[in-house]
Amino acid sequence: MLKKPQMNSLCRTLLRFWNSSIGKKLIVALTGLMLVGFLLGHMAGNLLIFQGREDLNDYAEFLHHMLHGWGIWIFRLGILGAFVLHIAATVSLVRQNRSARDTRYACDTTVQAPASSRIMIWSGLTVVAFVIFHIFHFTIRVDPALASMKDPGDPARHDVFGMVIKGFQNPAIVLFYIVAISLLCSHLSHGIASIFQTLGLRTEKTRVAIRNLAWGITILLWIGFLSIPFLVATGTLKDSGGGSAVHESSLSIPGAPASKS
Ligand code: HEM
């Protein structure tokens, strides 16, 4: 246990760190790194939908039951903490920079910056709105039609596979996902490279490699996430019903022979 004077000095150190601009930049970079890690993991998990109902539902069941049900809450708290800190430090940095700029420039220097960096705050706000909507859509499941879906092969568990496919039957929702995830990717195309910059890893030598890596991850996430609503909306990925047959016909490719379900 820390004694009171030790606690006071720890609080002072943390406060000094938060009040410094480099401290906040480091918080933005490290929480950004955690969030990119979450996105890659979430996308990989979502892609199990192409393996069929059983694999995706097994994975969702595992997530909800790991560490006797505590695992998902530990994970949620970690992600929520990273998300809140990322936003709070960014907003504080923007305010700090604005108040430090006591003289306005005669011409707007942001004109030379790439569009993705100029709209960082707007793309970031859209991601916040998207995440809130998405949690109501697939985690809290405010739509009773989605909330009541049961896995036909194991009615004791929720049918995440059927829910995702049913959830993307509405073209307005699909459009919202396309716009929001595209803006998220615009945010990432600039944000990932900035993480390396803040951590002091972007040098003349590594600049091109980092830019390519940032774009590679961004494109991977864009295709990986949007492939699902896109293929559902076009009728290529559908719920053919059926139980827990190992490989039911979940992905129907036009022209291909129908598989058993
Ligand atoms: C089309 C792409 C996506 C699909 C199909 C999808 C699917 C899902 C599903 C099915 C769940 C609920 C899992 C469960 O409770 O069993 C979920 C939760 C979640 N998703 Fe997504 N997701 C997508 C994109 C995203 C994106 C782009 C983000 C972040 C910007 C995101 C963030 C989250 C968060 C934070 C949760 C809550 C996790 C929890 O606490 O349960 N998702 N997603």
Side-chain angles (χ1 to χ4, degrees), residues 38-39 42 46 49 56 60-61 63-64 72 75-76 79 83 127 130-131 134-135 138-141 158 160 163-164 168 177 181 184 224-229:
F38 161 73
L39 286 173
H42 188 37
N46 286 347
I49 200 166
L56 184 67
E61 195 177 18
L63 286 183
H64 285 269
I72 186 130
F75 164 81
R76 281 173 176 162
I79 285 298
F83 200 55
V127 173
F130 167 77
V131 170
H134 183 57
I135 287 178
F138 283 159
T139 303
I140 301 176
R141 300 161 196 151
H158 184 63
V160 177
M163 172 185 76
V164 170
F168 290 136
Y177 270 72
I181 291 176
L184 164 71
F225 276 126
L226 287 184
S227 58
I228 300 170

Side-chain angles (χ1 to χ4, degrees), residues 2-209:
L2 286 177
K3 292 200 182 119
K4 210 172 169 202
Q6 284 173 318
M7 273 212 1
N8 283 344
S9 94
L10 179 69
C11 287
R12 269 200 303 276
T13 310
L14 286 176
L15 208 64
R16 254 205 310 274
F17 185 70
W18 174 263
N19 285 333
S20 71
S21 134
I22 186 65
K24 275 197 274 271
K25 279 187 182 164
L26 262 175
I27 291 174
V28 174
L30 294 175
T31 51
L33 203 61
M34 274 178 74
L35 294 168
V36 172
F38 161 73
L39 286 173
L40 286 168
H42 188 37
M43 180 204 68
N46 286 347
L47 291 179
L48 284 173
I49 200 166
F50 295 113
Q51 296 261 105
R53 189 189 310 273
E54 188 170 351
D55 283 7
L56 184 67
N57 289 356
D58 279 352
Y59 168 68
E61 195 177 18
F62 162 75
L63 286 183
H64 285 269
H65 290 96
M66 62 184 174
L67 299 176
H68 304 286
W70 284 94
I72 186 130
W73 286 104
I74 296 170
F75 164 81
R76 281 173 176 162
L77 279 178
I79 285 298
L80 182 68
F83 200 55
V84 170
L85 268 177
H86 189 78
I87 297 167
T90 308
V91 170
S92 175
L93 264 176
V94 170
R95 281 198 180 150
Q96 205 169 310
N97 289 348
R98 277 205 188 133
S99 62
R101 223 188 300 150
D102 44 5
T103 48
R104 294 259 160 215
Y105 296 107
C107 71
D108 186 357
T109 52
T110 58
V111 167
Q112 277 117 37
S116 59
S117 89
R118 277 183 281 132
I119 61 161
M120 280 303 267
I121 193 83
W122 298 110
S123 51
L125 285 174
T126 312
V127 173
V128 174
F130 167 77
V131 170
I132 294 171
F133 174 84
H134 183 57
I135 287 178
F136 276 100
H137 191 207
F138 283 159
T139 303
I140 301 176
R141 300 161 196 151
V142 284
D143 180 351
L146 298 186
S148 60
M149 296 187 83
K150 295 285 167 235
D151 185 332
D154 180 358
R157 68 181 185 181
H158 184 63
D159 185 12
V160 177
F161 174 90
M163 172 185 76
V164 170
I165 294 190
K166 200 172 186 143
F168 290 136
Q169 299 298 326
N170 182 337
I173 290 186
V174 171
L175 188 68
F176 178 55
Y177 270 72
I178 292 176
V179 172
I181 291 176
S182 300
L183 280 167
L184 164 71
C185 289
S186 144
H187 190 85
L188 293 177
S189 69
H190 180 74
I192 295 173
S194 299
I195 294 176
F196 287 92
Q197 167 99 24
T198 304
L199 298 180
L201 299 171
R202 188 154 71 170
T203 62
E204 217 20 69
K205 259 191 184 163
T206 59
R207 202 170 50 85
V208 174

Side-chain angles (χ1 to χ4, degrees), residues 40 43 47 215-225:
L40 286 168
M43 180 204 68
L47 291 179
W215 274 104
I217 295 176
T218 302
I219 292 168
L220 181 75
L221 287 169
W222 192 76
I223 295 175
F225 276 126

